[in-house]
Amino acid sequence: MAATETVANSPYLHLFRRYLRQHGLPVTLQREIVADVVFSSTEHLSVEEIEAELKKRGERIGKATIYRTMEILVRSGLVADHDFGDGFKRYEHLFGQQRGHQHLVCTNCRNVVEFRRPEIQRIQDEVARAHGFLPARHKLEVYGLCPDCRAAGVELKYEGLACPALTL
Amino acid sequence: MAATETVANSPYLHLFRRYLRQHGLPVTLQREIVADVVFSSTEHLSVEEIEAELKKRGERIGKATIYRTMEILVRSGLVADHDFGDGFKRYEHLFGQQRGHQHLVCTNCRNVVEFRRPEIQRIQDEVARAHGFLPARHKLEVYGLCPDCRAAGVELKYEGLACPALTL
DNA sequence: GCCCTAACGATAATGATTCTTGATTCCCGG
DNA sequence: CCGGGAATCAAGAATCATTATCGTTAGGGC
């Protein structure tokens, strides 16, 4: 391999290395590079996008290794995975994020914006308690049309029954 | 075919028939039977469970037809689909449900309980407006351990980094 | 540096969902 | 009620994301 020594340099990588060591998992170059791609992006990346970024960097890392590394990153708590209804998962690192943030997803362009409503945590705990559950986490997603798509003239269309209020 | 005439008899089937007619789609026996299975259950059914119920009724309806019918039912607004992280979708009819109800999912036994917090609708609208979005719908899921699993001694375990508060 | 173990990459397998095909059913007008 | 064109059906092949397999290669404790 050529110039692979300074590839992974995001400021949080040491946390991932610590996690790997604490759990007896080898700290491999591939894992560091994959983690660096995720840590260096502010987007919600799909595995395909991670793969593309690796290719752009000139790295030749197998897709299976990406999946395996994402699994470890999610377990470590450094990364969260999401399914926004696209048929595949997206990943985001949790640095610089407020705990318990939520997502606003454009139903047209699939762009994702984050927001934070602290009361959701309280609602989670109240609801869980009311039903005897021990709360672990929650997921709130709001779907709608983003400003760009609205400006472009895209419209929300409801093609269901004309009078849903009667039936619900 | 033998005794297929009174198979589909749930009280809301006429709404589905109306939707099909309004959209120029043929009202077929298979669609009625599949809809009847979903309308007759209070559970959150997977396609596999729907298939099993059809087999139990002695119906021989292809899996592709189930998928196509579910697609129409969701578009009609009579049924909602959910992905609770099982790797496949679950479907529930919306009769007798309050508009905008949410779900509490057991992380151990995957059982699903419904709840309703009307303020979520307000939060949806406020958040969307604050970001220039036109709100369409939302999805709130709370994950945790249900009373049965708690009583059985199951525990939530966090195997991530020891001190996540520092990193988040 | 050595060696054992575990990760790597390539590829095959899996599981949920969608598409294709030829046969059947629906539905509209007569 | 009958006929015919269009759309749906069942079965299975194809697809897509993800996971497992396997021979090879690389971490890391000694």
Side-chain angles (χ1 to χ4, degrees):
Chain A
M1 289 87 196
T4 45
E5 69 265 352
T6 56
V7 168
N9 50 19
S10 72
Y12 297 106
L13 257 188
H14 72 282
L15 291 171
F16 184 41
R17 293 198 193 97
R18 183 203 300 169
Y19 177 83
L20 290 172
R21 292 205 193 88
Q22 280 178 352
H23 290 256
L25 300 168
V27 179
T28 69
L29 192 54
Q30 289 91 337
R31 284 174 176 166
E32 293 192 341
I33 295 169
V34 171
D36 186 64
V37 166
V38 180
F39 292 175
S40 301
S41 171
T42 59
E43 302 294 316
H44 298 75
L45 299 172
S46 64
V47 166
E48 193 179 14
E49 289 166 339
I50 293 169
E51 201 179 20
E53 174 61 22
L54 289 171
K55 191 160 293 176
K56 197 189 298 178
R57 292 190 185 191
E59 301 296 341
R60 208 51 47 125
I61 293 180
K63 192 174 290 195
T65 299
I66 301 174
Y67 276 106
R68 282 184 294 234
T69 304
M70 297 318 296
E71 191 184 325
I72 297 173
L73 281 167
V74 170
R75 268 211 311 275
S76 79
L78 298 171
V79 166
D81 60 352
H82 298 285
D83 181 350
F84 294 131
D86 296 305
F88 50 83
K89 281 185 180 155
R90 294 187 173 278
Y91 299 89
E92 65 171 342
H93 71 75
L94 296 174
F95 307 124
Q97 302 284 0
Q98 310 96 324
R99 220 159 164 50
H101 68 276
Q102 295 96 19
H103 295 93
L104 193 47
V105 182
C106 179
T107 55
N108 185 246
C109 69
R110 311 307 298 180
N111 208 29
V112 177
V113 173
E114 297 177 352
F115 65 92
R116 176 165 157 76
R117 296 287 296 223
E119 66 264 49
I120 304 293
Q121 186 76 36
R122 198 199 68 232
I123 291 172
Q124 160 188 304
D125 295 340
E126 287 175 8
V127 165
R129 183 150 35 80
H131 291 268
F133 276 61
L134 184 62
R137 63 182 198 280
H138 66 265
K139 198 165 74 174
L140 172 61
E141 289 149 24
V142 174
Y143 293 87
L145 267 185
C146 72
D148 292 350
C149 289
R150 292 178 71 179
V154 181
E155 288 186 7
L156 285 175
K157 53 179 174 296
Y158 178 68
E159 50 183 11
L161 280 169
C163 189
L166 258 182
T167 74
L168 296 178
Chain B
M1 286 54 190
T4 45
E5 67 263 357
T6 55
V7 169
N9 48 17
S10 71
Y12 298 106
L13 258 188
H14 72 281
L15 291 170
F16 184 40
R17 294 199 192 96
R18 182 204 299 170
Y19 177 82
L20 290 171
R21 291 206 194 86
Q22 281 179 352
H23 290 256
L25 300 168
V27 179
T28 70
L29 190 55
Q30 289 90 342
R31 284 174 178 167
E32 293 192 341
I33 295 170
V34 171
D36 186 63
V37 167
V38 180
F39 292 174
S40 302
S41 171
T42 59
E43 302 293 316
H44 297 76
L45 299 172
S46 64
V47 166
E48 193 179 14
E49 288 166 341
I50 294 170
E51 200 179 21
E53 174 61 23
L54 289 171
K55 191 159 297 177
K56 198 188 298 177
R57 292 191 186 190
E59 301 295 341
R60 209 50 46 123
I61 295 181
K63 191 174 290 194
T65 300
I66 301 175
Y67 277 106
R68 281 184 297 238
T69 304
M70 297 319 296
E71 193 185 324
I72 297 173
L73 281 167
V74 170
R75 267 211 311 276
S76 78
L78 298 172
V79 166
D81 60 351
H82 298 284
D83 181 351
F84 294 133
D86 296 304
F88 49 83
K89 282 183 180 157
R90 294 185 174 279
Y91 300 88
E92 64 171 342
H93 70 77
L94 296 173
F95 308 124
Q97 301 287 358
Q98 311 96 324
R99 221 162 162 49
H101 68 274
Q102 294 95 22
H103 296 92
L104 195 45
V105 183
C106 178
T107 55
N108 185 246
C109 68
R110 312 305 299 178
N111 207 31
V112 177
V113 173
E114 296 178 352
F115 66 92
R116 175 163 156 77
R117 295 288 296 223
E119 67 262 51
I120 304 293
Q121 186 75 36
R122 198 198 68 231
I123 291 172
Q124 162 188 303
D125 294 341
E126 287 174 7
V127 165
R129 183 151 36 80
H131 291 269
F133 276 60
L134 186 62
R137 63 182 199 279
H138 65 266
K139 201 164 74 172
L140 173 60
E141 289 148 25
V142 173
Y143 293 88
L145 268 187
C146 73
D148 292 348
C149 289
R150 291 177 72 178
V154 180
E155 288 188 5
L156 287 173
K157 54 178 173 293
Y158 177 70
E159 52 183 9
L161 279 168
C163 189
L166 258 181
T167 74
L168 296 177

